[in-house]
Amino acid sequence: MAYFLQLVFAGAAQGCIYALIGLGFSIIFKASQVINFAQGELLLVGTYVVASAVLNWHLPFLLALPLGLLVTIVIGLLFERLVLRRMIGRPPFTVLMITIGLDIILRTLVIVGWGSRTIPAATPFAITSGFNVAGVHLGSSDLWTLGVTVVLCAALYYFFRHTRYGLAMRATALDQEAALAMGIDVRNVYALAWGLAAAITTLGGVLLAIDSLAIDPNFGNAALVAFPAIILGGLDSVSGAVVGGVIIGLTSVLTAGYESRLPAVVGTGLHEVTPYLIMILILMIRPYGLFGSRKVERV
Amino acid sequence: MVTKRFLFACILILLAGLPILAGCAGSSTSSSSGGLKAGPGVDLNKKTITLGILSPYSGPVAGPVGIPIANGVKAFFYHVNDHGGINGFKVQFIEQDTQYSPQLEVQKYNQIRNQVLMIADSLGTQPTFAIKDLAAADHMLVSAATLSSALAREKYLILVGTPYRLQVENAFDYVVNKLGVKNPATAIIYQNDDYGQDGLTGYREAVSVYHLHDVAQVSFAVNDTDFTAQVAQLKASGAKYVFMTTLPTATATIIATAYKLGYNPQWILQSPAFSIQLLAVPALKPLISRAWVVSQGAAWGDTSVPGMAQMLQDQAKYFPKQQPDGYFEFGYAESYVTYAILKKAMDNGDLTRDGLFRAFESLQSVDMGGLLPPAHYGSTPDQRVPTRDSVIYQVDATQPAGVKPISSDFTGVAAQQSHF
């Protein structure tokens, strides 16, 4: 039982990280209908900045973290302001290719700036910090990941429901032209979405790096694992990204924990495909994902 | 009427054809002078031999592996050139950035194939295997910077060093026969790709030969970032010795996760699983310092072997910014074999690709200055495995390369028996 609970705890923590990364995808897509393929590299840049701030510039972790967030927010805002704003009305495929371009540029900048070697990640915790309950180790970093995700989700809920900018974002997502007619500055909404997404994704990356201990320029690939989470949750659904992330995290870790008990033909590497199997299964039943908006067109 | 679109298409076709034309321009059929037959990449008038290097010079693999190995290769031949060359012939290089991508490797190979006599360095199992059929068709020898066992079955690919599979077998020979641990509870954690499968094959052979008590064989995906499930399995299995066929970042996370879960087996690292950079991770340093690394060759700075002093001099002279690095040493050692092939072919009066191949098959033994044990080559797959020995190292932050040997150079029973 302790074994199972340990996996559930690890899976939930892992799922929260996917949820945070997925939230970044969803917020941008919801606001601007753009799938940002540079999300992984925003995470990479933020994590490297935090690591450098702690290890090279000797800043406390609690100062380094906002610095990392600030850097990625600025990158997100600049990209939105200087590039994407000029692409409004262009085909989605063009915009998608531009985000891939940003992805490559950011990764190259990291390699040029920090080199391609493995470097230590910034962590505020000792490896063993945490406590044991009934044979299950509850690590500090995992507990913080769970806590941060819950608090962030509550904050986002409040933001979207009860603040002026949150309502503006929801209105823009619902109908851009109607939002414009109501006096909402859609450009500001886009900028806000990019800044918010960059910050949340970076937070996910920093929490992931705390567990990894070391990072390298491939670290941004973590965003790819979050992708099935947002698809099955519903690409335009913020709550879907969270639920999808937790489902993917749990199934992936639980499958990895039990796959060796299956015959080798089926079991080896099963956890690698489980997220995609679940995604396909859910999409077959609900083509717009668990919480995605169903598009109705009048013909 | 010629449209703009047609003109544009013509220009595109011309641009696309330029590399091919350039390749053809550089190609040369066999020629001879003074009794010496020469193939592509050999200029008998200028007395130069051009070799290719296909290595990542950009991307994540470049800094830790690609560039140090290429530097090692170049340092060796810069020294040769400064001391008169090979029978008066100077060696020069055409270097191509493959970014560790099989597709790019093929593209770059095709660009230089008519301009080089052989490939002096091709990094990575998958990139190298992407060009194996092209190399075979061109009769091009390729010195491969990978220890994949599968190389032994390819007659134009040159394996330098003990394959991964035999590294695993030697590691458990050390546990059973050198340390005297009978039926130890063992496990392997491996990444789910060709490299991991090579380690797994060696592990299974070791289980059979040394009667290991195999309690777990656990895999992970290259992109995995959380290893709790894998480590929980290892812990539940009770394995006392865990072999890791991993890469450095995964090594760090796995060992840290195990420590978090209160699991501290004897970790044994396949040679690519360790990087001195791991010792720069403060929280990891005390944990990984208990680990062993199975590899081979002299430790950096060990001047008791004859080739070390020369290598250190060449590194200081040609690449002064190069830090102590086992990969630089590998590239330097690898070049002893390339040099031996070129020298023998030249002595035979045949610097064509077929001449090089005949020289390679008849090399018998190559002394690598003690940087690696002497390599032996022949014509069958078993004979193309140049060495079967290993050294077990303890991770040690006080050493220049982060490891110190805790065993002598040895070949275990399983490694002696393995067939390829």
Side-chain angles (χ1 to χ4, degrees):
Chain A
M1 191 63 183
Y3 180 76
F4 173 75
L5 291 175
Q6 184 73 65
L7 296 185
V8 169
F9 179 69
Q14 188 69 11
C16 285
I17 287 171
Y18 294 153
L20 293 176
I21 299 169
L23 274 171
F25 279 107
S26 284
I27 289 171
I28 289 176
F29 185 81
K30 196 173 170 66
S32 58
Q33 304 294 302
V34 170
I35 297 177
N36 175 25
F37 276 94
Q39 206 71 19
E41 307 317 313
L42 282 172
L43 172 160
L44 181 72
V45 171
T47 312
Y48 265 78
V49 169
V50 175
S52 279
V54 169
L55 299 163
N56 300 335
W57 312 328
H58 307 292
L59 291 181
F61 183 83
L62 287 178
L63 273 182
L65 178 61
L67 183 67
L69 297 180
L70 185 67
V71 169
T72 51
I73 288 170
V74 169
I75 293 172
L77 291 178
L78 284 177
F79 185 65
E80 193 282 329
R81 179 72 185 83
L82 300 177
V83 182
L84 286 182
R85 198 166 284 190
R86 295 161 198 272
M87 301 305 294
I88 291 173
R90 302 296 172 107
F93 182 72
T94 313
V95 183
L96 186 145
M97 290 308 293
I98 288 176
T99 67
I100 291 175
L102 175 66
D103 177 274
I104 292 166
I105 290 168
L106 290 178
R107 181 181 287 220
T108 307
L109 284 176
V110 165
I111 291 169
V112 170
W114 282 276
S116 50
R117 290 171 181 267
T118 301
I119 67 162
T123 172
F125 309 113
I127 289 180
T128 50
S129 67
F131 48 91
N132 294 305
V133 178
V136 179
H137 178 75
L138 307 176
S140 296
S141 60
D142 290 340
L143 288 170
W144 270 97
T145 301
L146 290 164
V148 165
T149 308
V150 170
V151 169
L152 198 71
C153 287
L156 281 176
Y157 178 83
Y158 180 82
F159 174 76
F160 283 121
R161 291 271 163 189
H162 301 292
T163 68
R164 200 172 141 214
Y165 286 108
L167 289 171
M169 282 183 79
R170 286 173 61 204
T172 308
L174 208 61
D175 190 328
Q176 191 178 313
E177 286 178 14
L180 272 168
M182 296 300 290
I184 292 172
D185 187 341
V186 174
R187 291 176 175 185
N188 279 349
V189 167
Y190 287 169
L192 181 65
W194 273 82
L196 201 57
I200 294 172
T201 301
T202 302
L203 193 59
V206 171
L207 289 167
L208 182 62
I210 288 173
D211 259 353
S212 301
L213 279 186
I215 50 175
D216 62 33
N218 287 322
F219 190 68
N221 292 347
L224 294 178
V225 190
F227 209 71
I230 54 162
I231 299 291
L232 83 83
L235 198 53
D236 60 349
S237 167
V238 172
S239 50
V242 177
V243 175
V246 174
I247 290 175
I248 293 296
L250 278 172
T251 49
S252 178
V253 172
L254 283 169
T255 314
Y258 289 100
E259 67 187 12
S260 63
R261 301 178 188 194
L262 298 169
V265 179
V266 186
T268 307
L270 183 62
H271 73 281
E272 297 169 45
V273 295
T274 317
Y276 297 95
L277 290 176
I278 290 173
M279 184 184 78
I280 291 168
L281 192 69
I282 288 180
L283 290 184
M284 283 171 71
I285 302 165
R286 293 181 66 90
Y288 296 102
L290 287 174
F291 299 92
S293 312
R294 186 173 196 153
K295 286 201 173 67
V296 179
E297 288 182 22
R298 194 171 288 169
V299 289
Chain B
M1 185 178 164
V2 180
T3 62
K4 274 186 183 174
R5 188 171 287 185
F6 178 75
L7 267 176
F8 184 63
C10 288
I11 292 167
L12 268 182
I13 291 166
L14 270 175
L15 285 174
L18 275 178
I20 299 166
L21 291 173
C24 292
S27 73
S28 57
T29 50
S30 293
S31 57
S32 66
S33 170
L36 183 63
K37 283 169 68 182
V42 180
D43 190 324
L44 293 172
N45 297 321
K46 293 181 182 167
K47 298 195 86 171
T48 58
I49 298 168
T50 305
L51 306 178
I53 293 181
L54 297 170
S55 183
Y57 287 95
S58 64
V61 185
V65 188
I67 293 171
I69 291 183
N71 286 350
V73 172
K74 289 186 285 185
F76 181 93
F77 281 105
Y78 289 167
H79 170 87
V80 169
N81 288 346
D82 286 349
H83 291 77
I86 309 171
N87 294 2
F89 278 73
K90 300 287 173 74
V91 174
Q92 58 189 30
F93 295 98
I94 297 178
E95 299 170 60
Q96 295 287 346
D97 180 8
T98 64
Q99 297 175 26
Y100 207 62
S101 150
Q103 291 82 2
L104 264 182
E105 173 106 358
V106 170
Q107 193 181 323
K108 301 294 184 182
Y109 174 85
N110 280 326
Q111 277 180 24
I112 66 170
R113 56 192 276 268
N114 291 320
Q115 299 164 263
V116 299
L117 183 57
M118 69 175 277
I119 304 294
D121 173 33
S122 169
L123 178 67
T125 305
Q126 290 181 2
T128 302
F129 271 80
I131 60 164
K132 74 179 173 63
D133 292 334
L134 294 169
D138 292 338
H139 295 198
M140 177 92 81
L141 281 175
V142 178
S143 182
T146 161
L147 298 176
S148 167
S149 303
L151 288 175
R153 294 187 285 275
E154 303 296 332
K155 65 182 194 175
Y156 286 98
L157 303 187
I158 304 169
L159 179 62
V160 181
T162 301
Y164 299 131
R165 177 177 142 192
L166 302 191
Q167 285 186 347
V168 190
E169 294 169 14
N170 284 334
F172 286 108
D173 188 278
Y174 177 76
V175 172
V176 173
N177 291 333
K178 305 287 189 297
L179 299 183
V181 183
K182 299 298 172 203
N183 306 113
T186 61
I188 183 171
I189 179 163
Y190 62 98
Q191 63 182 45
N192 209 355
D193 63 4
D194 289 346
Y195 163 57
Q197 288 299 324
D198 210 15
L200 182 63
T201 304
Y203 176 74
R204 287 176 175 161
E205 287 180 353
V207 168
S208 164
V209 172
Y210 299 115
H211 307 293
L212 308 176
H213 178 37
D214 167 37
V215 290
Q217 298 175 15
V218 180
S219 71
F220 62 91
V222 177
N223 281 334
D224 277 354
T225 51
D226 182 272
F227 298 93
T228 307
Q230 287 85 351
V231 171
Q233 280 181 69
L234 292 171
K235 184 184 177 188
S237 75
K240 302 285 184 213
Y241 296 86
V242 178
F243 199 91
M244 302 180 78
T245 306
T246 56
L247 291 174
T249 307
T251 304
T253 315
I254 290 166
I255 291 180
T257 304
Y259 192 70
K260 266 197 289 191
L261 299 184
Y263 178 52
N264 297 299
Q266 176 60 59
W267 300 105
I268 312 173
L269 278 55
Q270 191 102 54
S271 56
F274 178 72
S275 158
I276 192 169
Q277 296 300 312
L278 294 180
L279 292 169
V281 182
L284 188 67
K285 196 171 163 183
L287 309 185
I288 201 169
S289 292
R290 289 190 59 248
W292 300 340
V293 181
V294 54
S295 187
Q296 68 182 150
W300 186 279
D302 177 5
T303 47
S304 67
V305 298
M308 182 60 73
Q310 189 60 61
M311 187 194 82
L312 294 175
Q313 273 180 31
D314 291 342
Q315 174 259 316
K317 182 176 178 184
Y318 302 114
F319 295 97
K321 290 181 180 170
Q322 174 67 54
Q323 297 294 310
D325 193 315
Y327 287 112
F328 177 92
E329 189 178 336
F330 182 91
Y332 195 92
E334 176 186 18
S335 301
Y336 276 95
V337 179
T338 306
Y339 175 86
I341 295 167
L342 294 172
K343 181 80 171 72
K344 183 149 196 175
M346 205 171 272
D347 291 345
N348 292 342
D350 190 353
L351 264 184
T352 62
R353 287 190 186 149
D354 286 334
L356 255 63
F357 182 70
R358 280 190 288 275
F360 169 56
E361 285 209 320
S362 61
L363 269 185
Q364 302 288 337
S365 179
V366 182
D367 176 50
M368 293 197 258
L371 299 178
L372 287 175
H376 303 275
Y377 292 101
S379 54
T380 67
D382 278 348
Q383 291 169 340
R384 279 197 288 271
V385 177
T387 59
R388 291 172 180 247
D389 58 295
S390 297
V391 175
I392 309 296
Y393 301 85
Q394 173 88 49
V395 175
D396 185 340
T398 64
Q399 301 296 310
V403 291
K404 72 172 181 192
I406 53 172
S407 82
S408 56
D409 196 79
F410 70 98
T411 304
V413 179
Q416 282 169 359
Q417 294 171 352
S418 277
H419 291 292
F420 288 80

